[in-house]
Amino acid sequence: MSYFGSSLAPPSSGLTASGVNTLIQQMLSTQREPIYALTNKKDTLNVEKAIYADLKTKLSTLESIVGDLTNGEDTIFLDMSTTVADSKVVTATAASSAVSGTYTVDVTVLAEAHRVFSDTGADSTDTALGLTAGTFTLNGADISVLATDSLEDIVASINVAEYGESLGFTGPTEIDTAHITELDEGTLSADMIAHFAAEGITLSEDATVSVDTTGERWLITDHENSYSIRDEGTNLGVYKGGREVTATIVDNRLILEADSTGVDYALDFTGSADIGLLKGTLGGATPTGLGILDAGGAFIPAQERVAVDSAFTVNGVPITRSSNTGLDDVIDGVTLNLLSVEETEVTISSHKNNITAKITALVNSINDTASYLKQKATTTADEEKKTYTRGALAGKSLFSILRMDLIGTMNMEVDAGPLKRMSDIGVTIGSGLEISLDATKLGSALDANFEDVVQLFDTIMQRYTAILDPFTATSASTTTSTLDLYTSAIQTKMDNIDTHVERMEKMLLIKEELLITQYSGLYMRSMQLQNDQQNLLSIYSGLSMYG
């Protein structure tokens, strides 16, 4: 006989750990809905903020173009173009100050730099020449020659003279040869710099040193401090008045060439203490001099290319200059470069291509900005889904007004001058409120009424500046732009949302911990009940065996 009946069911599975977690999450999910709503709102604000950033970029670009088309020192209308009939003869560039016109340039002589060279010397250019020590003056620089100098040493002394002030190291302390020979990389060590500092000579860390193979000859150059220092207290000269000279070695000959063209920059040995160093010959077993001058102290014609100034005429006016290039003092506002001996024409005119390109950019920029504003302010209907999507700027009349101002200003009438509207020069507004440009009509207006076109644009562009400035804040009278204020307000809202969400998340975390504690107790009691049920079932089964 059964007290509970044989139909007693097995214990129910009751609560499970996963079931408890699911239940808690379901309860929390409902309470998270306000957080989801705030997050969606922040996303919407972020989109609006990005729109303001994009719009500010578009308006700033437009304002820059407007500035270029406004009459002033930097207006595009002052851009001048140059057309050269034969660019192999002359090239030219024109500044805004240039006057339109055609100039005939006839080049008869090109400027050349003075160059002299010696006779052929010994095969080895790094062997001591054994010349009598002395000093010669080259274009104002004193060049010292020692008996131990090779041709390469003399070249180095001539070339280093352009580095600036020269200091003779004549202090009581000799520079230790060991300090020199260890500098095989050409950079002065800190010890070496300190050595000079003790003698009152400051060298930078960028100073370099060159040493000959014996370690007995050295030359220090310091571009930062404009020093050139040589051993044995030798003072290297400095070229005067920009009359630098470059020395080279070709076919064992010493070549000297002025760095600048023209008679004013010819090589000059006036004032040489030891003029004999420049005479004699480099050839033979025993060189007697550098072989630059003849016995009378004159240049040797067969070894000289004389300095020549350029000679040319502009519209028949004879002109000479020491250079062929960078001639910016011949035609006012124009820089000429002479390339060959020939005649050609240079035409200076307003740069219509640049002006047309800038006006085209204006039209494109206004159309792009107006289209963007329309897109972001329009409410779009989805006929299939029967839904409407509002643009981020929908309902904000300020931006609708801005769009109409950008388009409408292009059609405004001005009082001054014969040109009253932009349509008079080929800028029109279509039925779809899109602006277009007739480049042919604009070109004709620029040719026939250039100053009137400038005046028309200046008036219209000043109106555009007044429209744009509140949105870009580029003038001194406006400190913060409208778009900056809108962006700041949105950022404040987003920050408040973040603060609110963070507070709500903390509250939900506390709620979650309470629910876990609560349902953990229920789960444990459920487990206990299941255990008790199992025990009762076992007892019942045992009793059933005895009927």
Side-chain angles (χ1 to χ4, degrees):
M1 174 177 181
S2 172
Y3 289 101
F4 300 99
S6 59
S7 62
L8 185 63
S12 171
S13 59
L15 291 174
T16 63
S18 61
V20 169
N21 287 331
T22 300
L23 183 59
I24 292 173
Q25 292 305 316
Q26 288 175 345
M27 296 178 67
L28 292 175
S29 177
T30 301
Q31 298 184 41
R32 282 186 181 275
E33 288 180 0
I35 295 179
Y36 298 147
L38 287 173
T39 302
N40 290 336
K41 184 176 181 181
K42 181 182 177 182
D43 291 341
T44 302
L45 291 172
N46 242 330
V47 170
E48 188 175 346
K49 180 182 176 182
I51 289 174
Y52 292 142
D54 289 343
L55 184 57
K56 184 172 184 180
T57 298
K58 291 178 182 296
L59 293 177
S60 295
T61 299
L62 175 56
E63 188 172 50
S64 176
I65 297 171
V66 167
D68 291 338
L69 288 166
T70 303
N71 199 11
E73 292 182 358
D74 299 322
T75 180
I76 195 74
F77 291 107
L78 291 179
D79 277 13
M80 305 299 287
S81 68
T82 59
T83 304
V84 180
D86 189 347
S87 59
K88 294 180 181 179
V89 178
V90 171
T91 61
T93 56
S96 60
S97 59
V99 178
S100 297
T102 299
Y103 304 86
T104 301
V105 180
D106 185 6
V107 183
T108 54
V109 179
L110 289 176
E112 290 189 307
H114 196 190
R115 179 197 300 155
V116 297
F117 57 90
S118 70
D119 60 336
T120 302
D123 291 340
S124 177
T125 59
D126 60 0
T127 301
L129 297 174
L131 299 177
T132 302
T135 301
F136 64 87
T137 301
L138 174 58
N139 286 7
D142 292 330
I143 310 298
S144 298
V145 177
L146 303 177
T148 55
D149 275 349
S150 65
L151 190 57
E152 292 178 0
D153 292 326
I154 296 173
V155 166
S157 296
I158 294 171
N159 290 337
V160 81
E162 65 182 271
Y163 291 153
E165 182 182 0
S166 175
L167 301 177
F169 185 70
T170 56
T173 303
E174 289 294 332
I175 297 298
D176 190 344
T177 302
H179 287 139
I180 299 298
T181 55
E182 70 183 16
L183 302 175
D184 54 358
E185 295 299 322
T187 304
L188 289 170
S189 65
D191 186 32
M192 189 71 172
I193 293 174
H195 218 105
F196 274 95
E199 302 300 329
I201 298 176
T202 301
L203 294 174
S204 73
E205 294 180 356
D206 295 328
T208 59
V209 62
S210 59
V211 188
D212 68 11
T213 55
T214 66
E216 296 175 355
R217 300 277 299 150
W218 53 268
L219 180 68
I220 293 175
T221 56
D222 186 347
H223 294 272
E224 183 175 325
N225 291 313
S226 297
Y227 291 158
S228 56
I229 310 170
R230 193 167 172 177
D231 67 338
E232 301 182 14
T234 303
N235 192 22
L236 298 179
V238 181
Y239 296 120
K240 300 299 188 291
R243 299 175 61 196
E244 285 78 12
V245 177
T246 297
T248 56
I249 301 173
V250 178
D251 191 30
N252 294 334
R253 297 171 182 261
L254 173 63
I255 312 292
L256 301 179
E257 182 169 351
D259 288 359
S260 300
T261 58
V263 174
D264 289 344
Y265 298 96
L267 302 177
D268 180 16
F269 294 102
T270 301
S272 295
D274 301 292
I275 194 70
L277 285 169
L278 301 169
K279 302 176 181 179
T281 176
L282 274 175
T286 304
T288 59
L290 296 177
I292 296 295
L293 304 178
D294 61 19
F299 292 110
I300 303 170
Q303 298 173 200
E304 178 190 21
R305 184 186 69 185
V306 298
V308 179
D309 288 337
S310 61
F312 56 102
T313 63
V314 175
N315 288 352
V317 178
I319 299 168
T320 59
R321 291 292 184 271
S322 62
S323 177
N324 297 315
T325 59
L327 306 181
D328 57 6
D329 59 350
V330 178
I331 303 173
D332 187 41
V334 179
T335 300
L336 295 175
N337 298 302
L338 312 180
L339 305 179
S340 63
V341 175
E342 189 62 72
E343 180 180 294
T344 190
E345 285 190 344
V346 178
T347 301
I348 311 298
S349 60
S350 296
H351 209 312
K352 284 176 54 178
N353 289 341
N354 285 1
I355 295 172
T356 302
K358 187 63 67 174
I359 296 174
T360 300
L362 173 72
V363 169
N364 291 339
S365 182
I366 293 175
N367 284 335
D368 176 61
T369 304
S371 175
Y372 186 81
L373 286 168
K374 179 181 179 181
Q375 176 192 355
K376 300 305 179 183
T378 301
T379 298
T380 305
D382 188 327
E383 298 296 340
E384 183 178 344
K385 296 181 179 179
K386 304 299 182 182
T387 59
Y388 294 88
T389 303
R390 284 172 56 86
L393 302 183
K396 293 180 171 61
S397 59
L398 176 67
F399 297 103
S400 297
I401 294 172
L402 172 61
R403 174 173 174 262
M404 297 312 299
D405 280 346
L406 291 178
I407 298 171
T409 299
M410 195 59 77
N411 196 41
M412 70 178 285
E413 183 176 350
V414 301
D415 296 330
L419 300 175
K420 300 299 183 182
R421 296 180 183 274
M422 295 294 280
S423 57
D424 294 337
I425 62 171
V427 181
T428 57
I429 302 175
S431 57
L433 297 183
E434 184 168 289
I435 303 169
S436 61
L437 170 65
D438 183 339
T440 301
K441 189 172 182 179
L442 173 63
S444 298
L446 288 171
D447 289 336
N449 306 91
F450 185 84
E451 294 301 327
D452 294 328
V453 172
V454 173
Q455 186 176 8
L456 174 64
F457 265 95
D458 187 51
T459 304
I460 300 293
M461 293 307 105
Q462 287 186 37
R463 172 58 184 157
Y464 271 115
T465 298
I467 293 171
L468 296 171
D469 187 63
F471 293 91
T472 55
T474 56
S475 72
S477 61
T478 308
T479 56
T480 304
S481 74
T482 301
L483 292 177
D484 288 336
L485 292 174
Y486 272 65
T487 301
S488 178
I490 288 178
Q491 187 61 54
T492 299
K493 291 179 181 180
M494 293 170 60
D495 291 341
N496 290 338
I497 289 175
D498 287 339
T499 300
H500 196 184
V501 168
E502 183 180 3
R503 185 165 58 248
M504 294 175 70
E505 289 284 5
K506 289 181 179 179
M507 293 175 64
L508 283 178
L509 184 60
I510 295 172
K511 180 69 173 178
E512 183 178 22
E513 291 175 350
L514 290 173
L515 289 173
I516 290 173
T517 301
Q518 178 183 348
Y519 279 93
S520 293
L522 291 175
Y523 175 71
M524 294 303 296
R525 286 195 292 274
S526 173
M527 293 297 294
Q528 183 62 48
L529 288 173
Q530 289 183 53
N531 187 55
D532 292 345
Q533 189 176 9
Q534 288 283 1
N535 290 336
L536 288 173
L537 183 59
S538 298
I539 294 172
Y540 173 75
S541 297
L543 291 174
S544 298
M545 294 174 60
Y546 298 99

